[in-house]
Amino acid sequence: MKKFLLLTLLSCASSAPLWAQNPVNTPRPQAAPTGVAPAVQGTGRITGTIVDAESSKPVEFATIALINASTGKTVDGTVTDDKGRFSLARVANGTYTLNISFIGYETKEMKQVTISPSDQTANLNRITLAPAQTKLQEVTVVGEKPLIEDKVDRLVYNAEKDITNTGGTAADVMQKVPSISLDQDGNIQMRGSGNVRVLINGKPSTMMAGSVADALKQIPADVIKNVEVITSPSAKYDAEGTAGIINIVTKKNSLAGVTGSTTLTAGTRGSNGNANVSMRQGKLGVNVTAGATRFYSKGTMDQTRTNQEISKTGEKFENTTTQLGTSTVDGMFGFGQLGLDYDINEKNTLSAGIRVNSGEFKLRSHQLTNTFEAAQNEARNGFLSPRLTDEYNLSMKNNNNRLSMDLNLDYTHQFKKPQQELTLLALYSQTDQDNNMNLGYYELEGPLRFNNMNENEGLNKELTFQADYAHPMPKNTLLEVGAKGILRDVSSESLYNGVDLNGAFNYDQNVIASYLSYGFNLNKKTALRFGGRYEYTDVAGDFVNPAQDFATNYDNFIPNITLAYDLKPNMKLRTTFTQRIQRPQLFFLNPYRQQQGINVTYGNPRLDAELTDSYEINYSTFFKTTALNVSAYMRVTDNAIEQVTEVLRDTTFTTYNNIAKNKTYGMSLSGSTKPVPAWNINGNINLYYVELNAPFASNDGLMYNINVSSGYTFGTGISAQFSGGFNSSRVQLQGEASSFSYHNLAIRKELFEKKGAISLGMDNPFRRALTFENRQAGENQTDRLPFSTYSQVQQYNRGFRLTFEYRFGKMQQQGPPKRKKSIRNDDAKQGDSTGGVQ
């Protein structure tokens, strides 16, 4: 069956160019959709592009109804694509009215659209839609882009409209995105799952392969335009795994002449500066962005760990280890980006870009460690009173250096027919990550006992080629086919006290994929999109010891189907099923053993991919100044990658294995409203239940996260904003992670006729520190003896920052900006942050 489906996909992909040369002109007659009057088949065509009247940006998914002027009946209809374009084919001779509508815009009618024997084509060119105007309490409210938008197939958080983000990092932005939460180390969770793929401008970056949490701290919030959340990607996207895709879209000017902006921030927990310059003249556009960020924080840690052991003589005893300590984190990052766009002619566009990120994290920690031992009392079937067996001070220095680079080259060709398009894309991405750990063990009040030095050099490289072709089909349908190849090369070299203990390995992961996606309207209110994606994966591991080498390959057919129904013009119901595969990346694969005191973390290069079935039903509506989105979802993951912990002797070991079955059932509610024109409120609630089952452990529980934001405009250029959130405790396979909350305030004053602004931002101003309490318990798989760990971490996260912004240049729009396709490597499972207190 899989081979038959693969042959079908490949044959469709290979025949796509033939369709481009020989379009179907004489389709077989079909029954009219329900609710649409039967129409006489013709050869006429009506085309156009729908754009926002204020921003000139394309309006996606606008509804186009074709009405016979003489009878007043609707005879055909369609929706606009992601570039705002539409096409109505096989239109009979006659005079028509076009009714154009979309949520948040005023409905527009275009009358006297004529198809005649002498003129079979009506090209309406650029059609503008004006934002809706609603009267509320005798005050006219002009519709504007809200903080959170529902784009039918994704939710969009417009970060540039939230002034509490000013002067922060991408990690600060993510806390406010619907369906997204962050844990104490900054690791992303989407609807309760950490299996999330993060893209930048629709493209992957190997900077995300090591630690997403660390990478987010390297991106200033001021360069982020919006964040897109895609929970049910179509077959066009790579296999995204359990939760979905997060796409960070950075700011980029499309204005003629020279424009730019600069931002400077000074704060108690972080400072940064960045600048952007865009130059556009005629066919050529150049965009340059650069900046630097400094991040610093401190905290405390209190950990108690208890485990049982059996001595060489067969006696059972219990160990209790306590650690008290302080830590500081100091990070310094720099980034630069250059983008080029060139319109060869009206139908052909070429773009290229390079992005470079560099950064260094320095973790300094001092800890007091005590170990107590208690022998088993056979008579009482318990343990005797513990006695102190060891006591020492630990000094830890951890330096983490990262350098990443992305190079892309994209070509787009648009054919004469609307929606017919060919894109060819190439991307090279590379990240170097070096880690140096120096552990000094000292007597309580005395000399150095011994010293441990661990070093690791990690390198992750990806080379990607992609081709996509879209072809309009009869009955206003669209067929999309494509192919892709990803070549990944991961390497790691490790030294322990200057000695290579078989710590080097190379890991190759090559993926070849093809897809087919087809969408059409069943009737005026119902749309269907379905497709399939075939992926072949080849994996090989090469170690210093040949006996450890391995190689494997597997293939997957991944279906996707979406059914959307318009209950009313401003009310939509959508249901989706998709199956996804998620492969581990460098963080989970690297066998390098990173030791931090009594804790050791290492990857597993023999991990397999996860396979997930995902179901979702979504309801969205818009009325007056309020938008609501409700989703119910279920995910089932077999062979799930889960964190596994063992306590052996005096050390806790943590790694990852394909050992669990993960079931998640949830519901999310997000919305935005404007009670009065100057006041906006946005919120999100996500409630979900998780079941985790493995051969040696199981856990389940109900969890939730809430975030809310509100802004008010006082006039005279003064505005204020609040945002806050709460995350409940999180169930893990062997324990429970702490709940936590956050709140932010910001006040902004515009200057220099809105070209500049000054802002005061406050992070958790009413709380000195945030406390995390984490618990873990289980049995060692090695000896089946129990262990338990309790830790309390305090992060001093109260912070204040002052930001100055200034924009300059000629502000003349040169037509609507062109939207480019881009490579999206969404298939790989990325890593968490284990950098300690931050």
Side-chain angles (χ1 to χ4, degrees):
M1 182 63 181
K2 286 184 177 179
K3 293 182 178 179
F4 171 75
L5 292 169
L6 173 61
L7 290 173
T8 302
L9 284 175
L10 293 177
S11 63
C12 290
S14 62
S15 59
L18 298 179
W19 297 332
Q21 298 171 20
N22 301 291
V24 179
N25 291 320
T26 55
R28 290 182 299 174
Q30 299 183 26
T34 304
V36 178
V40 178
Q41 301 296 321
T43 58
R45 180 180 296 275
I46 301 174
T47 62
T49 302
I50 311 300
V51 299
D52 186 294
E54 295 182 356
S55 67
S56 294
K57 293 183 178 180
V59 178
E60 302 177 57
F61 306 107
T63 301
I64 315 296
L66 183 65
I67 303 171
N68 190 305
S70 60
T71 64
K73 294 183 178 180
T74 301
V75 296
D76 205 348
T78 186
V79 294
T80 56
D81 65 7
D82 59 357
K83 295 180 176 61
R85 301 176 305 192
F86 71 90
S87 176
L88 293 165
R90 298 176 294 103
V91 181
N93 295 336
T95 301
Y96 302 91
T97 297
L98 247 63
N99 185 290
I100 306 167
S101 61
F102 188 65
I103 295 174
Y105 291 91
E106 293 182 350
T107 300
K108 186 166 190 174
E109 283 191 350
M110 298 195 68
K111 299 182 178 180
Q112 299 299 312
V113 179
T114 303
I115 298 295
S116 64
S118 60
D119 190 357
Q120 289 286 287
T121 302
N123 187 352
L124 305 179
N125 297 317
R126 189 168 174 266
I127 305 169
T128 60
L129 281 188
Q133 294 185 355
T134 304
K135 266 201 162 184
L136 182 64
Q137 296 179 357
E138 301 303 322
V139 179
T140 300
V141 181
V142 179
E144 61 177 13
K145 182 183 290 186
L147 190 63
I148 298 171
E149 292 183 279
D150 180 8
K151 290 285 190 179
V152 182
D153 66 334
R154 68 195 66 193
L155 283 176
V156 180
Y157 168 70
N158 292 300
E160 63 182 347
K161 294 181 65 64
D162 191 340
I163 63 174
T164 60
N165 295 323
T166 304
T169 68
D172 300 315
V173 173
M174 288 298 170
Q175 288 183 324
K176 304 154 194 173
V177 178
S179 300
I180 304 300
S181 62
L182 272 64
D183 65 13
Q184 66 194 64
D185 295 317
N187 304 314
I188 289 179
Q189 299 274 320
M190 180 189 288
R191 291 181 172 178
S193 172
N195 298 342
V196 182
R197 183 60 164 162
V198 181
L199 307 176
I200 301 176
N201 294 323
K203 299 181 177 66
S205 174
T206 54
M207 72 179 291
M208 299 290 178
S211 167
V212 176
D214 291 345
L216 292 177
K217 293 168 187 172
Q218 300 183 44
I219 304 173
D222 301 299
V223 305
I224 299 175
K225 179 181 179 182
N226 59 52
V227 179
E228 300 176 339
V229 179
I230 309 172
T231 56
S232 298
S234 70
K236 290 172 53 178
Y237 293 88
D238 289 339
E240 47 76 39
T242 302
I245 296 171
I246 298 174
N247 183 30
I248 299 174
V249 180
T250 59
K251 297 176 182 177
K252 182 179 178 182
N253 290 330
S254 60
L255 302 175
V258 179
T259 59
S261 64
T262 183
T263 304
L264 297 173
T265 298
T268 59
R269 296 186 62 237
S271 301
N272 65 69
N274 60 80
N276 172 274
V277 177
S278 293
M279 295 163 283
R280 180 167 293 277
Q281 187 64 42
K283 297 181 178 182
L284 179 64
V286 181
N287 183 272
V288 180
T289 304
T293 300
R294 183 76 180 270
F295 172 87
Y296 22 83
S297 68
K298 62 180 182 179
T300 65
M301 185 267 291
D302 181 356
Q303 177 176 298
T304 301
R305 188 195 64 202
T306 301
N307 67 294
Q308 295 182 14
E309 294 185 28
I310 299 177
S311 67
K312 293 182 180 179
T313 60
E315 295 178 323
K316 184 181 292 187
F317 61 94
E318 186 177 74
N319 275 334
T320 300
T321 301
T322 63
Q323 274 192 323
L324 291 171
T326 62
S327 63
T328 59
V329 174
D330 191 351
M332 184 69 184
F333 327 112
F335 74 97
Q337 180 173 308
L338 170 65
L340 301 172
D341 294 308
Y342 182 70
D343 297 329
I344 302 172
N345 52 43
E346 186 180 349
K347 299 295 184 182
N348 297 278
T349 303
L350 191 66
S351 63
I354 179 172
R355 182 174 61 244
V356 178
N357 286 77
S358 65
E360 179 181 21
F361 288 91
K362 292 182 179 180
L363 170 65
R364 302 291 183 268
S365 179
H366 298 278
Q367 300 170 5
L368 171 63
T369 303
N370 296 295
T371 301
F372 301 86
E373 182 181 299
Q376 186 177 32
N377 187 331
E378 297 291 349
R380 297 182 180 179
N381 195 26
F383 292 90
L384 300 172
S385 298
R387 62 185 180 87
L388 180 65
T389 60
D390 196 12
E391 189 174 35
Y392 61 88
N393 280 322
L394 173 65
S395 177
M396 178 169 58
K397 297 180 180 179
N398 183 12
N399 290 354
N400 196 330
N401 298 284
R402 302 179 59 151
L403 176 64
S404 63
M405 177 183 66
D406 303 314
L407 295 167
N408 71 282
L409 180 64
D410 309 332
Y411 167 76
T412 301
H413 174 72
Q414 296 179 356
F415 296 85
K416 292 183 179 180
K417 297 176 64 176
Q419 297 184 294
Q420 187 179 6
E421 184 177 78
L422 172 68
T423 58
L424 303 174
L425 310 109
L427 172 69
Y428 176 77
S429 187
Q430 175 178 311
T431 292
D432 294 278
Q433 182 168 332
D434 299 334
N435 181 270
N436 297 294
M437 180 75 72
N438 191 332
L439 302 174
Y441 296 82
Y442 294 84
E443 298 292 347
L444 191 59
E445 294 182 0
L448 177 69
R449 281 190 186 183
F450 60 91
N451 197 70
N452 277 340
M453 293 185 63
N454 303 331
E455 303 172 63
N456 177 251
E457 293 184 3
L459 178 63
N460 192 82
K461 296 185 291 185
E462 289 186 7
L463 180 61
T464 305
F465 299 99
Q466 180 176 327
D468 299 288
Y469 176 74
H471 188 87
M473 300 290 286
K475 280 287 183 183
N476 302 311
T477 62
L478 183 67
L479 177 69
E480 297 174 286
V481 295
K484 185 174 187 177
I486 309 173
L487 308 178
R488 291 193 177 101
D489 182 12
V490 178
S491 62
S492 172
E493 295 184 6
S494 303
L495 297 176
Y496 300 90
N497 290 326
V499 179
D500 183 0
L501 301 177
N502 293 332
F505 89 108
N506 287 286
Y507 181 90
D508 292 327
Q509 185 187 90
N510 300 324
V511 182
I512 305 299
S514 62
Y515 75 86
L516 181 149
S517 181
Y518 186 54
F520 60 95
N521 294 330
L522 293 173
N523 53 45
K524 184 180 178 181
K525 293 186 176 182
T526 309
L528 176 67
R529 175 184 286 269
F530 63 90
R533 186 179 186 91
Y534 176 84
E535 295 191 350
Y536 174 82
T537 306
D538 186 75
V539 176
D542 183 12
F543 291 81
V544 174
N545 182 358
Q548 296 180 313
D549 293 352
F550 66 92
T552 186
N553 60 74
Y554 49 88
D555 62 345
N556 298 88
F557 177 76
I558 303 161
N560 176 277
I561 184 168
T562 297
L563 182 66
Y565 180 74
D566 290 327
L567 299 170
K568 293 181 180 179
N570 59 345
M571 194 179 297
K572 184 178 289 290
L573 187 67
R574 184 179 75 246
T575 182
T576 302
F577 166 75
T578 182
Q579 188 182 75
R580 291 305 195 195
I581 184 174
Q582 186 132 15
R583 306 171 182 88
Q585 274 203 0
L586 177 61
F587 177 86
F588 294 95
L589 299 169
N590 194 347
Y592 164 62
R593 299 197 169 201
Q594 178 173 287
Q595 184 167 355
Q596 295 186 4
I598 61 174
N599 302 302
V600 175
T601 302
Y602 59 97
N604 178 4
R606 294 181 178 273
L607 287 174
D608 292 329
E610 298 177 340
L611 191 65
T612 299
D613 291 333
S614 180
Y615 309 83
E616 179 178 355
I617 183 168
N618 178 276
Y619 168 83
S620 61
T621 185
F622 178 92
F623 52 94
K624 293 186 177 179
T625 58
T626 300
L628 288 176
N629 185 287
V630 183
S631 293
Y633 58 91
M634 181 178 73
R635 297 189 304 263
V636 180
T637 304
D638 291 313
N639 207 29
I641 298 174
E642 291 290 339
Q643 177 179 295
V644 180
T645 298
E646 286 192 313
V647 178
L648 302 174
R649 295 193 177 180
D650 59 349
T651 305
T652 300
F653 296 91
T654 301
T655 188
Y656 303 90
N657 278 321
N658 297 98
I659 54 168
K661 185 168 185 176
N662 185 326
K663 292 183 179 180
T664 302
Y665 313 88
M667 177 173 289
S668 64
L669 168 66
S670 63
S672 61
T673 187
K674 297 189 72 171
V676 296
W679 184 23
N680 66 77
I681 303 173
N682 302 272
N684 175 73
I685 301 174
N686 182 40
L687 180 70
Y688 57 102
Y689 180 81
V690 174
E691 293 180 359
L692 293 168
N693 291 287
F696 64 91
S698 63
N699 206 351
D700 63 86
L702 185 67
M703 292 161 281
Y704 63 92
N705 59 275
I706 302 170
N707 60 58
V708 63
S709 64
S710 181
Y712 194 87
T713 302
F714 296 95
T716 66
I718 299 176
S719 58
Q721 196 132 13
F722 165 84
S723 67
F726 179 81
N727 283 25
S728 70
S729 57
R730 194 172 75 251
V731 170
Q732 298 176 327
L733 182 62
Q734 293 177 291
E736 184 178 87
S738 178
S739 61
F740 65 95
S741 62
Y742 66 91
H743 60 279
N744 312 102
L745 292 168
I747 301 173
R748 187 172 189 264
K749 174 68 171 85
E750 294 180 343
L751 304 171
F752 314 124
E753 298 180 345
K754 297 186 177 182
K755 289 186 177 181
I758 188 168
S759 305
L760 174 64
M762 295 165 277
D763 298 326
N764 303 290
F766 306 115
R767 180 177 55 204
R768 180 169 177 262
L770 181 61
T771 301
F772 298 91
E773 295 183 351
N774 300 316
R775 292 174 173 81
Q776 199 170 42
E779 289 185 349
N780 296 327
Q781 296 185 67
T782 304
D783 53 22
R784 294 299 179 187
L785 292 177
F787 70 89
S788 64
T789 301
Y790 168 80
S791 64
Q792 184 183 82
V793 176
Q794 278 197 328
Q795 293 182 4
Y796 296 95
N797 58 356
R798 177 190 288 168
F800 301 88
R801 57 180 182 266
L802 189 65
T803 300
F804 174 76
E805 309 165 64
Y806 186 75
R807 296 176 295 279
F808 59 90
K810 183 181 179 182
M811 300 297 176
Q812 179 183 348
Q813 182 70 41
Q814 193 182 47
K818 291 192 174 183
R819 297 185 56 173
K820 312 254 188 254
K821 287 193 177 180
S822 58
I823 285 178
R824 303 172 184 266
N825 290 355
D826 321 298
D827 61 301
K829 183 183 179 78
Q830 299 162 335
D832 300 334
S833 171
T834 55
V837 179
Q838 297 178 15

